[in-house]
PDB file of all heavy atoms in Angstrom:
ATOM      1  N   SER L  35      -8.776 -10.455  36.410  1.00 92.00           N
ATOM      2  CA  SER L  35      -9.946 -11.270  36.070  1.00 92.00           C
ATOM      3  C   SER L  35     -11.234 -10.588  36.499  1.00 92.00           C
ATOM      4  O   SER L  35     -12.222 -10.578  35.752  1.00 92.00           O
ATOM      5  CB  SER L  35      -9.842 -12.651  36.730  1.00 92.00           C
ATOM      6  OG  SER L  35      -8.789 -13.385  36.162  1.00 92.00           O
ATOM      7  N   LEU L  36     -11.233 -10.024  37.702  1.00 90.00           N
ATOM      8  CA  LEU L  36     -12.408  -9.280  38.163  1.00 90.00           C
ATOM      9  C   LEU L  36     -12.660  -8.063  37.279  1.00 90.00           C
ATOM     10  O   LEU L  36     -13.811  -7.750  36.946  1.00 90.00           O
ATOM     11  CB  LEU L  36     -12.226  -8.838  39.619  1.00 90.00           C
ATOM     12  CG  LEU L  36     -12.298  -9.937  40.676  1.00 90.00           C
ATOM     13  CD1 LEU L  36     -11.825  -9.400  42.017  1.00 90.00           C
ATOM     14  CD2 LEU L  36     -13.704 -10.487  40.765  1.00 90.00           C
ATOM     15  N   GLY L  37     -11.587  -7.382  36.891  1.00 89.00           N
ATOM     16  CA  GLY L  37     -11.720  -6.222  36.011  1.00 89.00           C
ATOM     17  C   GLY L  37     -12.297  -6.598  34.658  1.00 89.00           C
ATOM     18  O   GLY L  37     -13.154  -5.887  34.113  1.00 89.00           O
ATOM     19  N   HIS L  38     -11.846  -7.730  34.121  1.00 90.00           N
ATOM     20  CA  HIS L  38     -12.373  -8.190  32.831  1.00 90.00           C
ATOM     21  C   HIS L  38     -13.860  -8.540  32.961  1.00 90.00           C
ATOM     22  O   HIS L  38     -14.660  -8.202  32.082  1.00 90.00           O
ATOM     23  CB  HIS L  38     -11.601  -9.400  32.318  1.00 90.00           C
ATOM     24  CG  HIS L  38     -10.214  -9.098  31.877  1.00 90.00           C
ATOM     25  ND1 HIS L  38      -9.916  -8.164  30.920  1.00 90.00           N
ATOM     26  CD2 HIS L  38      -9.024  -9.611  32.280  1.00 90.00           C
ATOM     27  CE1 HIS L  38      -8.605  -8.107  30.744  1.00 90.00           C
ATOM     28  NE2 HIS L  38      -8.046  -8.961  31.569  1.00 90.00           N
ATOM     29  N   ALA L  39     -14.217  -9.205  34.052  1.00 87.00           N
ATOM     30  CA  ALA L  39     -15.629  -9.544  34.269  1.00 87.00           C
ATOM     31  C   ALA L  39     -16.466  -8.275  34.378  1.00 87.00           C
ATOM     32  O   ALA L  39     -17.580  -8.205  33.839  1.00 87.00           O
ATOM     33  CB  ALA L  39     -15.782 -10.399  35.524  1.00 87.00           C
ATOM     34  N   ALA L  40     -15.942  -7.263  35.059  1.00 84.00           N
ATOM     35  CA  ALA L  40     -16.660  -5.993  35.180  1.00 84.00           C
ATOM     36  C   ALA L  40     -16.874  -5.355  33.814  1.00 84.00           C
ATOM     37  O   ALA L  40     -17.950  -4.817  33.538  1.00 84.00           O
ATOM     38  CB  ALA L  40     -15.897  -5.037  36.098  1.00 84.00           C
ATOM     39  N   MET L  41     -15.866  -5.411  32.956  1.00 85.00           N
ATOM     40  CA  MET L  41     -15.981  -4.831  31.616  1.00 85.00           C
ATOM     41  C   MET L  41     -17.016  -5.582  30.778  1.00 85.00           C
ATOM     42  O   MET L  41     -17.771  -4.960  30.032  1.00 85.00           O
ATOM     43  CB  MET L  41     -14.625  -4.830  30.910  1.00 85.00           C
ATOM     44  CG  MET L  41     -13.642  -3.845  31.490  1.00 85.00           C
ATOM     45  SD  MET L  41     -14.247  -2.137  31.532  1.00 85.00           S
ATOM     46  CE  MET L  41     -14.498  -1.810  29.805  1.00 85.00           C
ATOM     47  N   VAL L  42     -17.057  -6.895  30.903  1.00 84.00           N
ATOM     48  CA  VAL L  42     -18.044  -7.685  30.162  1.00 84.00           C
ATOM     49  C   VAL L  42     -19.448  -7.258  30.564  1.00 84.00           C
ATOM     50  O   VAL L  42     -20.309  -7.034  29.709  1.00 84.00           O
ATOM     51  CB  VAL L  42     -17.832  -9.193  30.414  1.00 84.00           C
ATOM     52  CG1 VAL L  42     -19.021 -10.005  29.923  1.00 84.00           C
ATOM     53  CG2 VAL L  42     -16.550  -9.661  29.731  1.00 84.00           C
ATOM     54  N   HIS L  43     -19.686  -7.108  31.872  1.00 77.00           N
ATOM     55  CA  HIS L  43     -21.012  -6.707  32.336  1.00 77.00           C
ATOM     56  C   HIS L  43     -21.334  -5.282  31.913  1.00 77.00           C
ATOM     57  O   HIS L  43     -22.472  -4.975  31.567  1.00 77.00           O
ATOM     58  CB  HIS L  43     -21.116  -6.859  33.856  1.00 77.00           C
ATOM     59  CG  HIS L  43     -21.239  -8.277  34.286  1.00 77.00           C
ATOM     60  ND1 HIS L  43     -22.410  -8.986  34.159  1.00 77.00           N
ATOM     61  CD2 HIS L  43     -20.338  -9.127  34.818  1.00 77.00           C
ATOM     62  CE1 HIS L  43     -22.217 -10.221  34.603  1.00 77.00           C
ATOM     63  NE2 HIS L  43     -20.973 -10.332  35.001  1.00 77.00           N
ATOM     64  N   LEU L  44     -20.334  -4.412  31.928  1.00 77.00           N
ATOM     65  CA  LEU L  44     -20.550  -3.018  31.528  1.00 77.00           C
ATOM     66  C   LEU L  44     -20.971  -2.938  30.060  1.00 77.00           C
ATOM     67  O   LEU L  44     -21.896  -2.212  29.699  1.00 77.00           O
ATOM     68  CB  LEU L  44     -19.277  -2.204  31.757  1.00 77.00           C
ATOM     69  CG  LEU L  44     -19.345  -0.723  31.464  1.00 77.00           C
ATOM     70  CD1 LEU L  44     -20.308  -0.037  32.432  1.00 77.00           C
ATOM     71  CD2 LEU L  44     -17.961  -0.102  31.587  1.00 77.00           C
ATOM     72  N   LYS L  45     -20.301  -3.728  29.224  1.00 79.00           N
ATOM     73  CA  LYS L  45     -20.613  -3.720  27.794  1.00 79.00           C
ATOM     74  C   LYS L  45     -21.914  -4.455  27.475  1.00 79.00           C
ATOM     75  O   LYS L  45     -22.494  -4.227  26.419  1.00 79.00           O
ATOM     76  CB  LYS L  45     -19.456  -4.349  27.011  1.00 79.00           C
ATOM     77  CG  LYS L  45     -18.212  -3.498  27.015  1.00 79.00           C
ATOM     78  CD  LYS L  45     -17.089  -4.172  26.255  1.00 79.00           C
ATOM     79  CE  LYS L  45     -15.834  -3.312  26.276  1.00 79.00           C
ATOM     80  NZ  LYS L  45     -14.716  -3.957  25.582  1.00 79.00           N
ATOM     81  N   ALA L  46     -22.360  -5.319  28.395  1.00 76.00           N
ATOM     82  CA  ALA L  46     -23.554  -6.125  28.140  1.00 76.00           C
ATOM     83  C   ALA L  46     -24.839  -5.316  28.216  1.00 76.00           C
ATOM     84  O   ALA L  46     -25.845  -5.716  27.674  1.00 76.00           O
ATOM     85  CB  ALA L  46     -23.614  -7.296  29.121  1.00 76.00           C
ATOM     86  N   GLY L  47     -24.797  -4.192  28.903  1.00 73.00           N
ATOM     87  CA  GLY L  47     -25.991  -3.355  28.918  1.00 73.00           C
ATOM     88  C   GLY L  47     -26.387  -2.881  30.298  1.00 73.00           C
ATOM     89  O   GLY L  47     -25.830  -3.295  31.316  1.00 73.00           O
ATOM     90  N   GLU L  48     -27.367  -2.021  30.298  1.00 74.00           N
ATOM     91  CA  GLU L  48     -27.823  -1.364  31.524  1.00 74.00           C
ATOM     92  C   GLU L  48     -28.391  -2.350  32.547  1.00 74.00           C
ATOM     93  O   GLU L  48     -28.323  -2.117  33.746  1.00 74.00           O
ATOM     94  CB  GLU L  48     -28.865  -0.305  31.166  1.00 74.00           C
ATOM     95  CG  GLU L  48     -29.170   0.652  32.282  1.00 74.00           C
ATOM     96  CD  GLU L  48     -27.975   1.489  32.725  1.00 74.00           C
ATOM     97  OE1 GLU L  48     -27.113   1.787  31.883  1.00 74.00           O
ATOM     98  OE2 GLU L  48     -27.912   1.833  33.912  1.00 74.00           O
ATOM     99  N   GLN L  49     -28.937  -3.466  32.093  1.00 71.00           N
ATOM    100  CA  GLN L  49     -29.520  -4.427  33.020  1.00 71.00           C
ATOM    101  C   GLN L  49     -28.470  -5.046  33.946  1.00 71.00           C
ATOM    102  O   GLN L  49     -28.799  -5.613  34.969  1.00 71.00           O
ATOM    103  CB  GLN L  49     -30.304  -5.529  32.289  1.00 71.00           C
ATOM    104  CG  GLN L  49     -29.453  -6.525  31.520  1.00 71.00           C
ATOM    105  CD  GLN L  49     -29.148  -6.104  30.087  1.00 71.00           C
ATOM    106  OE1 GLN L  49     -29.160  -4.906  29.771  1.00 71.00           O
ATOM    107  NE2 GLN L  49     -28.878  -7.040  29.217  1.00 71.00           N
ATOM    108  N   TYR L  50     -27.187  -4.906  33.603  1.00 65.00           N
ATOM    109  CA  TYR L  50     -26.118  -5.455  34.435  1.00 65.00           C
ATOM    110  C   TYR L  50     -25.454  -4.396  35.309  1.00 65.00           C
ATOM    111  O   TYR L  50     -24.440  -4.665  35.931  1.00 65.00           O
ATOM    112  CB  TYR L  50     -25.063  -6.138  33.559  1.00 65.00           C
ATOM    113  CG  TYR L  50     -25.615  -7.363  32.885  1.00 65.00           C
ATOM    114  CD1 TYR L  50     -25.956  -7.336  31.538  1.00 65.00           C
ATOM    115  CD2 TYR L  50     -25.813  -8.534  33.600  1.00 65.00           C
ATOM    116  CE1 TYR L  50     -26.485  -8.454  30.920  1.00 65.00           C
ATOM    117  CE2 TYR L  50     -26.350  -9.655  32.985  1.00 65.00           C
ATOM    118  CZ  TYR L  50     -26.680  -9.610  31.648  1.00 65.00           C
ATOM    119  OH  TYR L  50     -27.202 -10.707  31.040  1.00 65.00           O
ATOM    120  N   LYS L  51     -26.015  -3.215  35.368  1.00 64.00           N
ATOM    121  CA  LYS L  51     -25.448  -2.119  36.153  1.00 64.00           C
ATOM    122  C   LYS L  51     -25.182  -2.523  37.605  1.00 64.00           C
ATOM    123  O   LYS L  51     -24.131  -2.183  38.145  1.00 64.00           O
ATOM    124  CB  LYS L  51     -26.377  -0.906  36.091  1.00 64.00           C
ATOM    125  CG  LYS L  51     -25.873   0.297  36.809  1.00 64.00           C
ATOM    126  CD  LYS L  51     -24.908   1.059  35.958  1.00 64.00           C
ATOM    127  CE  LYS L  51     -24.602   2.388  36.626  1.00 64.00           C
ATOM    128  NZ  LYS L  51     -23.230   2.732  36.584  1.00 64.00           N
ATOM    129  N   PRO L  52     -26.075  -3.236  38.281  1.00 59.00           N
ATOM    130  CA  PRO L  52     -25.781  -3.632  39.666  1.00 59.00           C
ATOM    131  C   PRO L  52     -24.504  -4.460  39.799  1.00 59.00           C
ATOM    132  O   PRO L  52     -23.903  -4.525  40.856  1.00 59.00           O
ATOM    133  CB  PRO L  52     -27.000  -4.456  40.075  1.00 59.00           C
ATOM    134  CG  PRO L  52     -28.090  -3.990  39.180  1.00 59.00           C
ATOM    135  CD  PRO L  52     -27.409  -3.631  37.875  1.00 59.00           C
TER     136      PRO L  52
END
Side-chain angles (χ1 to χ4, degrees):
S35 292
L36 288 169
H38 290 304
M41 290 304 298
V42 167
H43 286 284
L44 183 65
K45 291 179 181 178
E48 194 62 31
Q49 71 272 25
Y50 293 104
K51 182 82 171 137

